[in-house]
């Protein structure tokens, strides 16, 4: 009945699905507050007040039939204009409005871009660990995800990147601040990646795109700066969204932006507008687009995430769990103190801690904890982590 490839997806995701079902069971049995659920990267901080106000005002306006109709596939022109202005400031280069397509989240942006540029057999390179959806997105278009390892600080192995590039490589996909490690790439790291792909381009028929997936750009701690991308390399493209900075993940609103230096950028923008349509997104949710016209400069309070990051770091230190301090996003990716990922996740579960195994990010030997939970939950989990560590030392 099913496409055989999708059949394998079902098998692969069965363990993660089982984990979520188990989590739901634990919450039912012990009460939500007695389960420490660090498994979901689903923003729980309420959307900013301006978002609520804008939505309230929009829905209170007198209904006009065309207001809920289809809009241009690339988005409302006035929103493209405003986004382009904002992106020009961030990326320190003038981004034309036509280079911005409003999409259904960053995921929609990556897919619309992949559909526009990838052919069956092409390769997308990313660094492991990585957001597991990337592999599925590449395979949606008959392409293949290839991964390049990172060092102990989760920074890219640049020599390995060079060796991994082939004549089928079309995209180098980066994600900073990073899910699942929280690493933030410096300008120097970005430059080294660009230098490799730029030098390889001279040997290839088609240039390699640099796709920066950056829905966590706003979320960096300790004074870390997330460097601009669109001014660094002509074939650079940015995918992002308002899922995290406005806590609107379920509302599916984001964008794809193309560097002004890209030759034939208008052609690519036109293609993305078509692929956004024919993948079935048609246009990004219109109410969200109208809301963004009024709230583009708003943001959730990132000091709340910072406090949670610090609290969880303390809990992990006290339990004797090894980790690299995340400087961005809302995840820790600590070392698994056991050899087996599934076994450690089970030990944690016995203490009612829910976490995601490293193999789900292509990197066994680690586990991911998301701090999209209250500070209270983090503090309350302290003894549970200590008990879990005790269990494995006995
Ligand atoms: C690295 C990364 N990219 C993309 C996405 C998808 O984001 P969106 O909700 O904007 O589609 C996520 C969601 O968690 C993510 O972590």
């Amino acid at each position: 009945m099913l496409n055989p490839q999708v059949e394998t997806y079902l098998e692969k995701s069965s363990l993660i699905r089982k984990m979520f079902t188990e989590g739901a069971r634990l919450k039912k049995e012990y009460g939500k507050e007695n389960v420490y659920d660090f498994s979901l990267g689903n923003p729980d901080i309420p959307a900013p007040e301006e978002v609520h106000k804008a939505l309230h005002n929009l829905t209170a306006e007198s209904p006009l039939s065309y207001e809920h109709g289809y809009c241009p596939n690339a988005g409302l022109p006035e929103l493209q204009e405003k986004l382009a202005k904002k992106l020009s400031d961030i990326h320190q280069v003038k981004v034309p409005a036509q280079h911005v397509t409003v999409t259904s989240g960053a995921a929609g942006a990556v897919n619309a871009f992949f559909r526009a540029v990838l052919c069956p057999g092409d390769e997308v390179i990313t660094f492991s660990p990585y957001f597991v959806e990337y592999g599925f997105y590449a395979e949606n278009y008959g392409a293949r995800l290839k991964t390049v390892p990172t060092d102990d600080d989760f920074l890219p192995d640049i020599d390995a990147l060079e060796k991994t590039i082939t004549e089928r490589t079309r995209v180098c996909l980066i994600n900073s601040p990073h899910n699942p490690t929280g690493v933030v790439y410096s300008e120097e790291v970005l430059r080294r990646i660009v230098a490799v792909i730029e030098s390889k381009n001279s040997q290839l028929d088609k240039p390699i795109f640099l796709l920066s997936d950056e829905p966590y750009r706003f979320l960096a701690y300790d004074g870390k700066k997330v460097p601009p991308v669109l001014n660094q390399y002509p074939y650079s493209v940015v995918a992002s969204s308002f899922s995290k900075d406005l806590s609107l993940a379920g509302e599916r609103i984001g964008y794809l932006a193309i560097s002004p230096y890209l030759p034939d950028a208008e052609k690519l923008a036109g293609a993305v507008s078509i692929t956004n349509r024919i993948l079935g997104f048609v246009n990004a949710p219109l109410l969200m687009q109208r809301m963004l016209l009024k709230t583009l400069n708003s943001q959730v309070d990132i000091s709340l995430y910072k406090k949670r990051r610090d609290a969880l770091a303390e809990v992990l230190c006290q339990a004797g769990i090894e980790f690299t301090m995340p400087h961005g996003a809302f995840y820790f990716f600590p070392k698994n103190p056991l050899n087996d990922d599934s076994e450690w996740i089970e030990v944690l579960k016995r203490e009612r801690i829910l976490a995601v195994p490293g193999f789900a990010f292509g990197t066994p030997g680690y586990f991911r904890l998301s701090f999209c939970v209250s500070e209270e939950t983090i503090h309350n989990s302290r003894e549970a982590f200590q008990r879990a560590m005790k269990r494995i030392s006995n």
Side-chain angles (χ1 to χ4, degrees):
M1 179 175 86
L2 294 181
N3 169 317
Q5 192 180 37
V6 176
E7 192 93 51
T8 67
Y9 296 166
L10 271 181
E11 283 154 27
K12 274 195 232 161
S13 59
S14 66
L15 197 132
I16 305 286
R17 270 209 322 277
K18 192 171 146 234
M19 214 183 70
F20 289 132
T21 328
E22 280 277 282
R25 184 189 61 76
L26 284 176
K27 284 177 196 168
K28 203 162 166 211
E29 193 174 335
Y30 296 98
K32 220 173 146 210
E33 64 290 354
N34 297 316
V35 178
Y36 315 111
D37 188 352
F38 297 100
S39 66
L40 292 174
N42 201 1
D44 64 317
I45 293 178
E49 187 55 32
E50 303 89 89
V51 168
H52 292 291
K53 259 196 205 136
L55 284 174
H56 179 81
N57 291 342
L58 281 166
T59 50
E61 276 172 15
S62 64
L64 292 173
S65 60
Y66 67 81
E67 281 199 338
H68 297 289
Y70 297 121
C71 82
N73 304 127
L76 292 172
E78 58 271 45
L79 180 58
Q80 286 178 288
E81 198 70 58
K82 281 200 164 190
L83 274 168
K85 200 157 175 287
K86 184 174 166 134
L87 291 166
S88 301
D89 288 344
I90 294 173
H91 292 275
Q92 295 166 26
V93 66
K94 182 142 182 36
V95 180
Q98 316 86 277
H99 287 207
V100 181
T101 305
V102 189
T103 61
S104 299
V110 173
N111 273 277
F113 174 69
F114 277 2
R115 178 69 180 97
V117 303
L118 294 177
C119 294
D122 282 346
E123 295 165 357
V124 174
I125 294 183
T126 200
F127 302 100
S128 60
Y130 62 96
F131 179 52
V132 75
E133 303 299 90
Y134 293 156
F136 298 112
Y137 298 164
E139 287 176 16
N140 280 344
Y141 314 103
R144 187 160 79 93
L145 188 76
K146 285 171 89 177
T147 59
V148 167
T150 52
D151 65 16
D152 286 348
D153 295 321
F154 306 117
L155 291 171
D157 179 336
I158 299 291
D159 292 338
L161 169 64
E162 186 170 10
K163 290 190 188 108
T164 308
I165 293 172
T166 72
E167 68 282 357
R168 292 311 306 256
T169 305
R170 294 307 320 282
V171 180
C172 176
L173 171 49
I174 58 170
N175 166 226
S176 164
H178 188 255
N179 175 9
T181 65
V183 73
V184 177
Y185 290 176
S186 65
E187 189 149 4
E188 173 60 21
V189 169
L190 190 59
R191 274 209 207 104
R192 291 175 69 206
I193 294 170
V194 167
V196 168
I197 50 182
E198 229 160 18
S199 79
K200 282 281 178 180
N201 278 347
S202 57
Q203 303 158 29
L204 301 171
D205 291 343
K206 296 178 188 167
I208 299 170
F209 288 100
L210 177 68
L211 172 59
S212 174
D213 176 33
E214 46 185 63
Y216 304 95
R217 172 176 278 277
F218 75 108
L219 199 46
Y221 316 107
D222 314 317
K224 287 270 172 193
K225 295 263 176 284
V226 184
V229 174
L230 293 175
N231 65 348
Q232 295 283 329
Y233 175 64
Y235 296 93
S236 58
V237 178
V238 159
S240 192
S241 73
F242 300 91
S243 292
K244 322 287 174 178
D245 53 358
L246 293 182
S247 275
L248 290 175
E251 304 298 350
R252 313 308 304 134
I253 185 80
Y255 56 86
L256 187 91
I258 301 168
S259 170
Y261 300 134
L262 192 134
D264 257 347
E266 255 100 86
K267 196 169 175 189
L268 176 60
V272 170
S273 155
I274 291 176
T275 55
N276 196 39
R277 182 188 97 214
I278 65 177
L279 283 171
F281 298 120
V282 184
N283 60 248
L286 189 54
L287 188 60
M288 290 300 122
Q289 295 195 49
R290 291 192 195 289
M291 182 273 299
L292 279 180
L293 287 172
K294 307 203 187 299
T295 60
L296 216 46
N297 294 320
S298 306
Q299 199 175 74
V300 294
D301 179 2
I302 72 168
S303 71
L304 296 175
Y305 283 123
K306 161 86 164 61
K307 279 195 202 143
R308 293 169 175 191
R309 196 255 342 224
D310 293 345
L312 189 51
E314 193 188 296
V315 165
L316 295 175
C317 274
Q318 284 178 355
I321 292 170
E322 242 185 277
F323 62 91
T324 302
M325 189 68 155
H327 295 295
F330 39 57
Y331 309 101
F332 278 76
F333 201 56
K335 280 214 167 108
N336 173 356
L338 292 177
N339 287 328
D340 186 290
D341 275 8
S342 306
E343 203 182 321
W344 174 235
I345 294 298
E346 277 303 311
V347 171
L348 289 174
K349 206 160 63 197
R350 263 182 259 152
E351 298 301 340
R352 302 200 293 271
I353 297 169
L354 306 181
V356 185
F359 67 71
F361 305 93
T363 311
Y366 294 83
F367 63 108
R368 191 191 76 173
L369 300 170
S370 154
F371 43 97
C372 290
V373 294
S374 69
E375 229 184 302
E376 194 189 359
T377 301
I378 295 171
H379 288 302
N380 291 346
S381 69
R382 189 180 309 267
E383 284 172 16
F385 274 109
Q386 291 173 1
R387 282 195 303 270
M389 288 300 276
K390 221 180 207 160
R391 266 182 198 273
I392 62 169
S393 65
N394 290 335

